[in-house]
Amino acid sequence: MEVTDALVEKMAWLARLDIPFEEKAAVQKDLERMIHFVEKLEELDTTGVQPLLHMSDVVNNLREDEVKGSVSTEQALLNAPSHTDRFFLVPKVIKK
Amino acid sequence: MFSFKSIETYHQYLATHPDGCTIAVKYYLERIEENKHLNAYLEVFAEEALTRAAQLDSQRAAGKPIGKLHGVVISIKDVIAYKGHKVSASSRMLEGYTSLYNATAVERLLAEEAIIIGRNNCDEFAMGSTNENSAYGPTRNALDPDRVPGGSSGGSAVAVQADLCMLSLGSDTGGSVRQPADFCGIIGLKPTYGTISRYGLLAYASSFDQIGVFGKIIADLAMVLAVISGPDEYDSTALSNKQEINDLSILSSNTPPPRVAYFREAIEHPSLDPEIRYTLLQFIDTLQQDGAVVTEVPFDYLDFIVPAYYVLTTAEASSNLSRYDGVKFGHRGAAQPGDTLDAFYKKNRTEGFGKEVQRRILLGTFVLSAGHYDAYFTKAQQVRQLLVEKTTQVFQDFDALIMPTVPATAFRLGEKSDDPIALYLADIYTVFANLTGIPGISLPLFKHSNGMPFGLQVMTDRYQDPYLLQLSFNWLSRYQGVNLQG
């Protein structure tokens, strides 16, 4: 699989990462090496094998739905880089 | 002068030393200070540990019965939440982040009166096998400071290795407890997937992640495991096998000779250091002479396990780490007027995450993206299924599977920093247990002619953790310190 500029751009966009211009070539090379490396799996015939979806064999591990306390507003805001006394602050999303 | 041998002897010591916990904590604080250059701790909770030690000492004086881990000094990897304390995953992303709650493992340690003395350095978000990917500098191997301690739980391994605590907790997604234990010459245990609740463990790859324990004595690891394992209403994958592990009694009595398997391809693999190979073959001879049935078993999948591991774990990581956007917590870059929400997310994430973390997020994003999902992600899940089937088959006929833990002894600092693939390949023997969910342990049995230790990795079938510990106890009692290299 060829790792093109456009592919790297697209992955960076999906992952919400910026790749600085001067690092683009190195990132592209790393991604290419990594993808090439995992393409080894193609050599193994897995026709008819069900993909393994869960590690645990526990099914529907349910508990009673009880009302319990959670964190306070003050605690929830404790680690927020920017907030008011009630809200998390982010750049303006809706433009007039 | 204080010295620690086992929890049992420490508790005997406490019975005759009214200020024993305080003496122990002071001893470790001094040791930590003297060994600062190893960079095993990101933060030491010195005053708090002393206060708690004094409380425990006075409780004992008042005749209160002691908890199972009374006064036991433990350090935790910086990916495990401890209420009111910082937890950063050795990342700039979580600089200054304070945990609002205790991980279940921490909650249970504290309930049995353990003393948590600090948080250990590690690879960023537990991604790495040298501890060089930490935003706070590498941890060094106490046996040779020019060598790495392994990773990602390098700090937790060195904390035990260099006598900077009694036991420590790490996390093992692809070998991150067993591999540093091997490099540092101590015991590192990764239990069966789901044995210890992952609540409060910062997620890397949730179907692989498992908290593990470092120590020097099997009985001590067994005690910590008994305390922290078991079901948890905060983690639906935590198994209901608490009773089984509670019943664990390490006996010196004889157990029937084990039926042991090893994979021919693992021993013959070209990446394996010849001296490690030779030592292992000698050890197999010794086991046979001592009555064990040791059998070579073919394993055709060896070269596929590391690629399958990296597809699945990076996929899970790209999803798990999407929560770090700098809104509710996490690093926030300097805002420019007119920044869009997307530019804001990108800035926070790009500045907050280190290189290796970004690499893995990108690969994980790729294998999950439209058009590539089936060829990479589903394919790897199929390979995982084959591995689980193979494992089930092996343990129908055998009690244990042995392998090297790592193909080489501890790397030199900087030795493997420019090629991610070379480093990934060094996980060849450890990722198997995480792909299949089985328990694995690295036992410090061997020493290389280059002066560094290396371990024997032992695995059993799922839920056979008590047997794994019993077998480890038997083998360590019999072979540790014995010259097995002839």
Side-chain angles (χ1 to χ4, degrees), chain B residues 94-353:
Chain B
L94 284 175
E95 202 166 11
Y97 178 90
T98 302
S99 181
L100 301 179
Y101 60 92
N102 279 330
T104 297
V106 168
E107 188 75 36
R108 291 177 181 174
L109 288 178
L110 294 173
E112 290 296 342
E113 301 172 2
I115 299 171
I116 295 176
I117 198 165
R119 56 188 173 99
N120 297 125
N121 200 357
C122 57
D123 284 300
E124 187 181 358
F125 284 101
M127 296 179 186
S129 29
T130 64
N131 215 117
E132 293 169 296
N133 292 336
S134 165
Y136 305 98
T139 299
R140 289 163 186 274
N141 194 313
L143 283 170
D144 178 353
D146 291 330
R147 290 180 191 266
V148 303
S152 65
S153 315
S156 301
V158 172
V160 168
Q161 177 198 33
D163 200 20
L164 313 178
C165 63
M166 296 174 184
L167 291 119
S168 65
L169 297 189
S171 65
D172 190 314
T173 304
S176 287
V177 166
R178 288 159 288 152
Q179 186 255 25
D182 173 285
F183 280 7
C184 292
I186 58 172
I187 307 171
L189 168 71
K190 180 205 90 80
T192 299
Y193 178 76
T195 300
I196 301 167
S197 166
R198 289 178 292 109
Y199 180 69
L201 170 68
L202 274 62
Y204 161 16
S206 307
S207 76
F208 292 75
D209 294 343
Q210 184 54 206
I211 289 176
V213 191
F214 290 102
K216 289 177 178 167
I217 305 276
I218 289 290
D220 286 358
L221 275 91
M223 177 62 84
V224 170
L225 186 64
V227 167
I228 66 180
S229 61
D232 179 14
E233 65 174 305
Y234 296 120
D235 177 2
S236 64
T237 63
L239 303 166
S240 324
N241 59 354
K242 174 114 179 141
Q243 191 50 41
E244 196 183 348
I245 291 180
N246 257 346
D247 284 346
L248 180 75
S249 47
I250 299 295
L251 305 165
S252 26
S253 70
N254 283 329
T255 40
R259 297 165 303 160
V260 181
Y262 68 92
F263 294 148
R264 179 179 60 241
E265 290 79 0
I267 300 282
E268 286 174 359
H269 201 269
S271 71
L272 182 61
D273 177 290
E275 193 175 323
I276 297 180
R277 178 182 300 121
Y278 175 75
T279 306
L280 234 72
L281 289 170
Q282 292 287 108
F283 181 69
I284 287 168
D285 279 349
T286 307
L287 284 179
Q288 281 170 330
Q289 282 161 26
D290 292 345
V293 179
V294 189
T295 311
E296 188 180 272
V297 171
F299 182 62
D300 299 331
Y301 302 135
L302 192 65
D303 288 328
F304 300 101
I305 59 176
V306 181
Y309 170 82
Y310 276 92
V311 169
L312 296 171
T313 54
T314 58
E316 293 191 29
S318 73
S319 168
N320 273 327
L321 272 61
S322 65
R323 77 191 64 181
Y324 300 103
D325 58 9
V327 176
K328 299 185 189 73
F329 50 80
H331 174 82
R332 184 171 289 199
Q336 303 292 330
D339 267 359
T340 62
L341 196 57
D342 280 316
F344 161 86
Y345 289 145
K346 281 180 146 190
K347 185 177 292 167
N348 298 342
R349 290 169 61 79
T350 306
E351 289 179 10
F353 290 134

Side-chain angles (χ1 to χ4, degrees), chain A residues 1 7-8 10-20 23 27 30-31 33-35 37-53 55-58 61 63 68 71 75-82 88-93 95, chain B residues 96-98 100 193 207 233 236 301 303-304 306-308 311 326-330 332 339 341-342 344-346 349-350 353 358-359 361-363 365-366 369 372 376 378-386 388 418-421 424-425 435-437 462-463:
Chain A
M1 160 107 207
L7 181 78
V8 175
K10 190 180 167 199
M11 293 310 130
W13 161 251
L14 288 173
R16 298 296 187 276
L17 292 169
D18 263 326
I19 301 168
E23 287 172 26
V27 171
D30 280 345
L31 195 58
R33 281 203 285 193
M34 289 162 83
I35 291 173
F37 174 64
V38 301
E39 278 172 344
K40 172 86 184 160
L41 298 179
E42 287 169 11
E43 296 169 24
L44 199 61
D45 183 10
T46 53
T47 316
V49 177
Q50 283 302 309
L52 188 142
L53 303 179
M55 264 332 274
S56 159
D57 38 27
V58 179
N61 187 2
R63 60 170 165 76
K68 286 184 182 173
V71 294
Q75 279 185 311
L77 293 167
L78 180 74
N79 288 298
S82 177
F88 299 106
L89 290 178
V90 295
K92 195 167 188 166
V93 183
K95 290 199 177 74
Chain B
Y97 178 90
T98 302
L100 301 179
Y193 178 76
S207 76
E233 65 174 305
S236 64
Y301 302 135
D303 288 328
F304 300 101
V306 181
V311 169
V327 176
K328 299 185 189 73
F329 50 80
R332 184 171 289 199
D339 267 359
L341 196 57
D342 280 316
F344 161 86
Y345 289 145
K346 281 180 146 190
R349 290 169 61 79
T350 306
F353 290 134
Q358 294 196 30
R359 256 186 211 139
I361 290 175
L362 284 173
L363 180 64
T365 305
F366 170 78
S369 62
H372 304 297
Y376 295 87
T378 307
K379 180 81 182 181
Q381 288 180 311
Q382 290 175 311
V383 175
R384 195 177 196 185
Q385 183 76 268
L386 291 175
V388 169
D418 61 334
D419 183 2
I421 306 298
Y424 297 170
L425 280 169
L435 279 160
T436 56
R462 281 215 255 177
Y463 320 128

